[in-house]
Amino acid sequence: MQEKYVLTKGKLVRDRIPQIIRADGAEPEVYVADLDEYRQRLRAKLTEEVAEYMEADETHAPEELADILEVAFALAADLGVDPDQLEKLRASKAEQRGGFSERFVWTGNR
């Protein structure tokens, strides 16, 4: 059974953040999450990054999309899927079902 963590304290940060904090003269308090907690925190991070994208203006939106991709790649890696495989899956789905460039909005069937 998968253990549930209460994710009230701390947040998942990029790998170099503790080093950057140290370079700024502070000492970060960090620990390494176990696999179950890591998976939960990745999902929470995805929600956080999507929310930041939704709030971003056009200038900052590309940076927020890059953050979303980084989390998506980490989630994929956790599933044993590398970025190339993920892109192949995306391309296959786009070939079968299309992308979103036509801007269609479905409102139901007649």
Side-chain angles (χ1 to χ4, degrees):
M1 178 162 67
Q2 185 173 348
E3 187 174 342
K4 294 288 183 185
Y5 292 86
V6 178
L7 304 179
T8 58
K9 185 173 181 184
K11 70 177 190 172
L12 189 65
V13 294
R14 289 175 176 262
D15 299 341
R16 294 191 59 226
I17 295 302
Q19 177 185 347
I20 291 167
I21 292 170
R22 284 186 195 99
D24 286 342
E27 186 57 37
E29 294 181 12
V30 298
Y31 68 92
V32 177
D34 69 25
L35 190 54
D36 287 338
E37 181 182 2
Y38 173 66
R39 288 173 173 159
Q40 277 188 264
R41 288 193 181 272
L42 271 177
R43 288 171 181 255
K45 191 66 162 181
L46 182 60
T47 301
E48 173 189 331
E49 296 299 350
V50 168
E52 289 176 6
Y53 169 77
M54 297 300 288
E55 296 295 321
D57 60 23
E58 287 186 20
T59 302
H60 295 98
E63 186 175 321
E64 298 305 334
L65 285 173
D67 289 343
I68 292 168
L69 278 176
E70 191 66 36
V71 175
F73 288 155
L75 286 162
D78 183 57
L79 297 171
V81 177
D82 69 34
D84 290 336
Q85 290 172 299
L86 189 61
E87 172 54 24
K88 286 177 185 172
L89 289 168
R90 186 212 59 78
S92 174
K93 237 179 155 167
E95 183 178 322
Q96 292 171 13
R97 301 179 66 93
F100 295 97
S101 62
E102 298 292 329
R103 303 189 312 229
F104 291 137
V105 176
W106 180 59
T107 59
N109 297 335
R110 291 183 218 189

mmCIF file of all heavy atoms in Angstrom, residues 11 14 44-73:
data_model
loop_
_atom_site.group_PDB
_atom_site.id
_atom_site.type_symbol
_atom_site.label_atom_id
_atom_site.label_comp_id
_atom_site.label_asym_id
_atom_site.label_seq_id
_atom_site.Cartn_x
_atom_site.Cartn_y
_atom_site.Cartn_z
ATOM 1 N N LYS A 11 9.074 21.933 0.139
ATOM 2 C CA LYS A 11 8.620 21.696 -1.219
ATOM 3 C C LYS A 11 9.774 21.138 -2.028
ATOM 4 O O LYS A 11 10.946 21.368 -1.699
ATOM 5 C CB LYS A 11 8.059 22.959 -1.861
ATOM 6 C CG LYS A 11 9.064 24.039 -2.182
ATOM 7 C CD LYS A 11 8.373 25.194 -2.883
ATOM 8 C CE LYS A 11 9.381 26.180 -3.446
ATOM 9 N NZ LYS A 11 8.731 27.191 -4.269
ATOM 10 N N ARG A 14 14.532 22.213 -7.387
ATOM 11 C CA ARG A 14 15.510 21.747 -8.364
ATOM 12 C C ARG A 14 16.809 21.362 -7.659
ATOM 13 O O ARG A 14 17.149 21.893 -6.599
ATOM 14 C CB ARG A 14 15.768 22.832 -9.411
ATOM 15 C CG ARG A 14 14.599 23.046 -10.349
ATOM 16 C CD ARG A 14 14.891 24.225 -11.264
ATOM 17 N NE ARG A 14 13.841 24.417 -12.242
ATOM 18 C CZ ARG A 14 13.899 23.960 -13.494
ATOM 19 N NH1 ARG A 14 14.950 23.291 -13.909
ATOM 20 N NH2 ARG A 14 12.898 24.182 -14.331
ATOM 21 N N ALA A 44 2.493 17.423 -6.907
ATOM 22 C CA ALA A 44 2.195 18.728 -6.313
ATOM 23 C C ALA A 44 2.960 19.831 -7.044
ATOM 24 O O ALA A 44 2.430 20.927 -7.268
ATOM 25 C CB ALA A 44 2.543 18.727 -4.822
ATOM 26 N N LYS A 45 4.197 19.537 -7.437
ATOM 27 C CA LYS A 45 5.013 20.514 -8.157
ATOM 28 C C LYS A 45 4.396 20.826 -9.513
ATOM 29 O O LYS A 45 4.400 21.977 -9.958
ATOM 30 C CB LYS A 45 6.443 19.981 -8.320
ATOM 31 C CG LYS A 45 7.419 20.993 -8.817
ATOM 32 C CD LYS A 45 7.603 22.073 -7.777
ATOM 33 C CE LYS A 45 8.844 22.869 -8.006
ATOM 34 N NZ LYS A 45 9.011 23.886 -6.958
ATOM 35 N N LEU A 46 3.851 19.816 -10.172
ATOM 36 C CA LEU A 46 3.195 20.046 -11.459
ATOM 37 C C LEU A 46 2.024 21.008 -11.290
ATOM 38 O O LEU A 46 1.872 21.960 -12.065
ATOM 39 C CB LEU A 46 2.729 18.731 -12.074
ATOM 40 C CG LEU A 46 2.062 18.832 -13.440
ATOM 41 C CD1 LEU A 46 2.995 19.439 -14.474
ATOM 42 C CD2 LEU A 46 1.578 17.457 -13.889
ATOM 43 N N THR A 47 1.223 20.790 -10.263
ATOM 44 C CA THR A 47 0.106 21.686 -9.973
ATOM 45 C C THR A 47 0.609 23.097 -9.708
ATOM 46 O O THR A 47 0.053 24.080 -10.222
ATOM 47 C CB THR A 47 -0.698 21.164 -8.769
ATOM 48 O OG1 THR A 47 -1.187 19.861 -9.073
ATOM 49 C CG2 THR A 47 -1.851 22.077 -8.423
ATOM 50 N N GLU A 48 1.672 23.228 -8.929
ATOM 51 C CA GLU A 48 2.262 24.532 -8.613
ATOM 52 C C GLU A 48 2.735 25.239 -9.890
ATOM 53 O O GLU A 48 2.456 26.429 -10.094
ATOM 54 C CB GLU A 48 3.444 24.339 -7.657
ATOM 55 C CG GLU A 48 4.246 25.584 -7.371
ATOM 56 C CD GLU A 48 5.532 25.279 -6.599
ATOM 57 O OE1 GLU A 48 5.580 24.299 -5.830
ATOM 58 O OE2 GLU A 48 6.499 26.048 -6.783
ATOM 59 N N GLU A 49 3.440 24.502 -10.744
ATOM 60 C CA GLU A 49 3.982 25.113 -11.963
ATOM 61 C C GLU A 49 2.872 25.501 -12.940
ATOM 62 O O GLU A 49 2.954 26.549 -13.593
ATOM 63 C CB GLU A 49 4.994 24.180 -12.634
ATOM 64 C CG GLU A 49 6.232 23.891 -11.805
ATOM 65 C CD GLU A 49 7.076 25.104 -11.459
ATOM 66 O OE1 GLU A 49 6.837 26.212 -11.997
ATOM 67 O OE2 GLU A 49 7.986 24.966 -10.628
ATOM 68 N N VAL A 50 1.834 24.691 -13.041
ATOM 69 C CA VAL A 50 0.702 25.041 -13.910
ATOM 70 C C VAL A 50 0.021 26.304 -13.390
ATOM 71 O O VAL A 50 -0.323 27.202 -14.164
ATOM 72 C CB VAL A 50 -0.292 23.865 -14.045
ATOM 73 C CG1 VAL A 50 -1.590 24.312 -14.701
ATOM 74 C CG2 VAL A 50 0.350 22.718 -14.831
ATOM 75 N N ALA A 51 -0.142 26.396 -12.075
ATOM 76 C CA ALA A 51 -0.749 27.599 -11.494
ATOM 77 C C ALA A 51 0.105 28.831 -11.794
ATOM 78 O O ALA A 51 -0.430 29.902 -12.121
ATOM 79 C CB ALA A 51 -0.934 27.429 -9.987
ATOM 80 N N GLU A 52 1.420 28.694 -11.705
ATOM 81 C CA GLU A 52 2.298 29.816 -12.014
ATOM 82 C C GLU A 52 2.182 30.205 -13.484
ATOM 83 O O GLU A 52 2.187 31.394 -13.818
ATOM 84 C CB GLU A 52 3.747 29.486 -11.647
ATOM 85 C CG GLU A 52 3.969 29.446 -10.152
ATOM 86 C CD GLU A 52 5.375 29.026 -9.753
ATOM 87 O OE1 GLU A 52 6.251 28.861 -10.643
ATOM 88 O OE2 GLU A 52 5.602 28.854 -8.548
ATOM 89 N N TYR A 53 2.060 29.217 -14.361
ATOM 90 C CA TYR A 53 1.862 29.512 -15.779
ATOM 91 C C TYR A 53 0.554 30.276 -15.985
ATOM 92 O O TYR A 53 0.507 31.252 -16.736
ATOM 93 C CB TYR A 53 1.860 28.232 -16.614
ATOM 94 C CG TYR A 53 1.401 28.484 -18.020
ATOM 95 C CD1 TYR A 53 2.261 29.066 -18.952
ATOM 96 C CD2 TYR A 53 0.110 28.194 -18.413
ATOM 97 C CE1 TYR A 53 1.830 29.343 -20.239
ATOM 98 C CE2 TYR A 53 -0.330 28.464 -19.695
ATOM 99 C CZ TYR A 53 0.538 29.040 -20.608
ATOM 100 O OH TYR A 53 0.101 29.322 -21.873
ATOM 101 N N MET A 54 -0.495 29.838 -15.327
ATOM 102 C CA MET A 54 -1.808 30.464 -15.491
ATOM 103 C C MET A 54 -1.784 31.927 -15.055
ATOM 104 O O MET A 54 -2.534 32.744 -15.581
ATOM 105 C CB MET A 54 -2.875 29.697 -14.718
ATOM 106 C CG MET A 54 -3.078 28.266 -15.204
ATOM 107 S SD MET A 54 -3.591 28.147 -16.914
ATOM 108 C CE MET A 54 -5.265 28.731 -16.778
ATOM 109 N N GLU A 55 -0.935 32.272 -14.119
ATOM 110 C CA GLU A 55 -0.836 33.635 -13.618
ATOM 111 C C GLU A 55 0.174 34.481 -14.383
ATOM 112 O O GLU A 55 0.196 35.698 -14.240
ATOM 113 C CB GLU A 55 -0.448 33.618 -12.134
ATOM 114 C CG GLU A 55 -1.481 32.978 -11.233
ATOM 115 C CD GLU A 55 -2.792 33.758 -11.195
ATOM 116 O OE1 GLU A 55 -2.750 35.009 -11.196
ATOM 117 O OE2 GLU A 55 -3.853 33.116 -11.178
ATOM 118 N N ALA A 56 1.003 33.854 -15.215
ATOM 119 C CA ALA A 56 2.097 34.554 -15.882
ATOM 120 C C ALA A 56 1.602 35.413 -17.043
ATOM 121 O O ALA A 56 0.633 35.067 -17.720
ATOM 122 C CB ALA A 56 3.123 33.545 -16.395
ATOM 123 N N ASP A 57 2.300 36.511 -17.261
ATOM 124 C CA ASP A 57 2.033 37.311 -18.451
ATOM 125 C C ASP A 57 2.788 36.688 -19.634
ATOM 126 O O ASP A 57 3.539 35.733 -19.466
ATOM 127 C CB ASP A 57 2.423 38.774 -18.223
ATOM 128 C CG ASP A 57 3.897 38.962 -17.881
ATOM 129 O OD1 ASP A 57 4.739 38.094 -18.225
ATOM 130 O OD2 ASP A 57 4.226 39.990 -17.271
ATOM 131 N N GLU A 58 2.595 37.247 -20.812
ATOM 132 C CA GLU A 58 3.207 36.671 -22.010
ATOM 133 C C GLU A 58 4.729 36.667 -21.953
ATOM 134 O O GLU A 58 5.367 35.813 -22.557
ATOM 135 C CB GLU A 58 2.723 37.402 -23.258
ATOM 136 C CG GLU A 58 1.294 37.069 -23.609
ATOM 137 C CD GLU A 58 0.850 37.680 -24.930
ATOM 138 O OE1 GLU A 58 1.713 38.046 -25.755
ATOM 139 O OE2 GLU A 58 -0.370 37.775 -25.121
ATOM 140 N N THR A 59 5.315 37.592 -21.234
ATOM 141 C CA THR A 59 6.767 37.654 -21.108
ATOM 142 C C THR A 59 7.309 36.483 -20.300
ATOM 143 O O THR A 59 8.340 35.904 -20.640
ATOM 144 C CB THR A 59 7.195 38.987 -20.441
ATOM 145 O OG1 THR A 59 6.695 40.063 -21.229
ATOM 146 C CG2 THR A 59 8.695 39.085 -20.308
ATOM 147 N N HIS A 60 6.616 36.133 -19.211
ATOM 148 C CA HIS A 60 7.097 35.082 -18.307
ATOM 149 C C HIS A 60 6.514 33.703 -18.603
ATOM 150 O O HIS A 60 6.995 32.702 -18.078
ATOM 151 C CB HIS A 60 6.805 35.475 -16.856
ATOM 152 C CG HIS A 60 7.559 36.693 -16.438
ATOM 153 N ND1 HIS A 60 6.988 37.950 -16.434
ATOM 154 C CD2 HIS A 60 8.840 36.861 -16.052
ATOM 155 C CE1 HIS A 60 7.881 38.830 -16.047
ATOM 156 N NE2 HIS A 60 9.020 38.203 -15.811
ATOM 157 N N ALA A 61 5.483 33.629 -19.429
ATOM 158 C CA ALA A 61 4.829 32.356 -19.721
ATOM 159 C C ALA A 61 5.778 31.301 -20.299
ATOM 160 O O ALA A 61 5.724 30.135 -19.884
ATOM 161 C CB ALA A 61 3.621 32.571 -20.628
ATOM 162 N N PRO A 62 6.669 31.651 -21.233
ATOM 163 C CA PRO A 62 7.577 30.619 -21.754
ATOM 164 C C PRO A 62 8.459 29.990 -20.676
ATOM 165 O O PRO A 62 8.694 28.778 -20.680
ATOM 166 C CB PRO A 62 8.411 31.365 -22.802
ATOM 167 C CG PRO A 62 7.521 32.477 -23.247
ATOM 168 C CD PRO A 62 6.788 32.894 -22.004
ATOM 169 N N GLU A 63 8.925 30.803 -19.731
ATOM 170 C CA GLU A 63 9.740 30.284 -18.629
ATOM 171 C C GLU A 63 8.923 29.316 -17.764
ATOM 172 O O GLU A 63 9.418 28.273 -17.338
ATOM 173 C CB GLU A 63 10.261 31.445 -17.790
ATOM 174 C CG GLU A 63 11.232 31.033 -16.717
ATOM 175 C CD GLU A 63 11.817 32.223 -15.983
ATOM 176 O OE1 GLU A 63 12.109 33.248 -16.625
ATOM 177 O OE2 GLU A 63 11.961 32.119 -14.749
ATOM 178 N N GLU A 64 7.670 29.656 -17.529
ATOM 179 C CA GLU A 64 6.802 28.779 -16.739
ATOM 180 C C GLU A 64 6.511 27.480 -17.494
ATOM 181 O O GLU A 64 6.444 26.404 -16.888
ATOM 182 C CB GLU A 64 5.512 29.496 -16.357
ATOM 183 C CG GLU A 64 5.701 30.719 -15.479
ATOM 184 C CD GLU A 64 6.476 30.458 -14.196
ATOM 185 O OE1 GLU A 64 6.468 29.309 -13.698
ATOM 186 O OE2 GLU A 64 7.099 31.400 -13.682
ATOM 187 N N LEU A 65 6.347 27.564 -18.813
ATOM 188 C CA LEU A 65 6.168 26.341 -19.612
ATOM 189 C C LEU A 65 7.403 25.448 -19.522
ATOM 190 O O LEU A 65 7.284 24.214 -19.461
ATOM 191 C CB LEU A 65 5.873 26.685 -21.071
ATOM 192 C CG LEU A 65 4.473 27.189 -21.372
ATOM 193 C CD1 LEU A 65 4.381 27.657 -22.830
ATOM 194 C CD2 LEU A 65 3.433 26.114 -21.091
ATOM 195 N N ALA A 66 8.593 26.058 -19.514
ATOM 196 C CA ALA A 66 9.823 25.285 -19.363
ATOM 197 C C ALA A 66 9.840 24.564 -18.017
ATOM 198 O O ALA A 66 10.279 23.401 -17.926
ATOM 199 C CB ALA A 66 11.042 26.192 -19.507
ATOM 200 N N ASP A 67 9.360 25.227 -16.967
ATOM 201 C CA ASP A 67 9.274 24.583 -15.650
ATOM 202 C C ASP A 67 8.305 23.404 -15.688
ATOM 203 O O ASP A 67 8.578 22.348 -15.099
ATOM 204 C CB ASP A 67 8.838 25.585 -14.582
ATOM 205 C CG ASP A 67 9.911 26.613 -14.252
ATOM 206 O OD1 ASP A 67 11.089 26.382 -14.594
ATOM 207 O OD2 ASP A 67 9.570 27.645 -13.646
ATOM 208 N N ILE A 68 7.180 23.571 -16.373
ATOM 209 C CA ILE A 68 6.211 22.484 -16.504
ATOM 210 C C ILE A 68 6.853 21.300 -17.223
ATOM 211 O O ILE A 68 6.689 20.139 -16.810
ATOM 212 C CB ILE A 68 4.939 22.962 -17.232
ATOM 213 C CG1 ILE A 68 4.167 23.951 -16.356
ATOM 214 C CG2 ILE A 68 4.050 21.779 -17.626
ATOM 215 C CD1 ILE A 68 3.063 24.697 -17.086
ATOM 216 N N LEU A 69 7.596 21.586 -18.288
ATOM 217 C CA LEU A 69 8.280 20.514 -19.012
ATOM 218 C C LEU A 69 9.279 19.787 -18.121
ATOM 219 O O LEU A 69 9.389 18.558 -18.178
ATOM 220 C CB LEU A 69 9.001 21.070 -20.239
ATOM 221 C CG LEU A 69 8.171 21.294 -21.474
ATOM 222 C CD1 LEU A 69 9.010 21.937 -22.572
ATOM 223 C CD2 LEU A 69 7.578 19.983 -21.971
ATOM 224 N N GLU A 70 10.024 20.528 -17.318
ATOM 225 C CA GLU A 70 11.006 19.906 -16.428
ATOM 226 C C GLU A 70 10.322 18.929 -15.472
ATOM 227 O O GLU A 70 10.811 17.820 -15.246
ATOM 228 C CB GLU A 70 11.774 20.974 -15.643
ATOM 229 C CG GLU A 70 12.976 20.450 -14.896
ATOM 230 C CD GLU A 70 14.079 19.949 -15.816
ATOM 231 O OE1 GLU A 70 14.291 20.539 -16.892
ATOM 232 O OE2 GLU A 70 14.745 18.948 -15.451
ATOM 233 N N VAL A 71 9.195 19.339 -14.924
ATOM 234 C CA VAL A 71 8.446 18.451 -14.023
ATOM 235 C C VAL A 71 7.881 17.266 -14.814
ATOM 236 O O VAL A 71 7.939 16.125 -14.353
ATOM 237 C CB VAL A 71 7.333 19.208 -13.280
ATOM 238 C CG1 VAL A 71 6.490 18.256 -12.441
ATOM 239 C CG2 VAL A 71 7.924 20.297 -12.403
ATOM 240 N N ALA A 72 7.359 17.515 -16.021
ATOM 241 C CA ALA A 72 6.835 16.426 -16.848
ATOM 242 C C ALA A 72 7.930 15.413 -17.175
ATOM 243 O O ALA A 72 7.695 14.201 -17.125
ATOM 244 C CB ALA A 72 6.209 16.975 -18.129
ATOM 245 N N PHE A 73 9.131 15.893 -17.486
ATOM 246 C CA PHE A 73 10.243 14.984 -17.761
ATOM 247 C C PHE A 73 10.604 14.164 -16.524
ATOM 248 O O PHE A 73 10.917 12.976 -16.620
ATOM 249 C CB PHE A 73 11.464 15.748 -18.258
ATOM 250 C CG PHE A 73 11.341 16.289 -19.659
ATOM 251 C CD1 PHE A 73 12.085 17.377 -20.047
ATOM 252 C CD2 PHE A 73 10.472 15.736 -20.591
ATOM 253 C CE1 PHE A 73 11.990 17.889 -21.343
ATOM 254 C CE2 PHE A 73 10.359 16.235 -21.880
ATOM 255 C CZ PHE A 73 11.132 17.314 -22.256
#
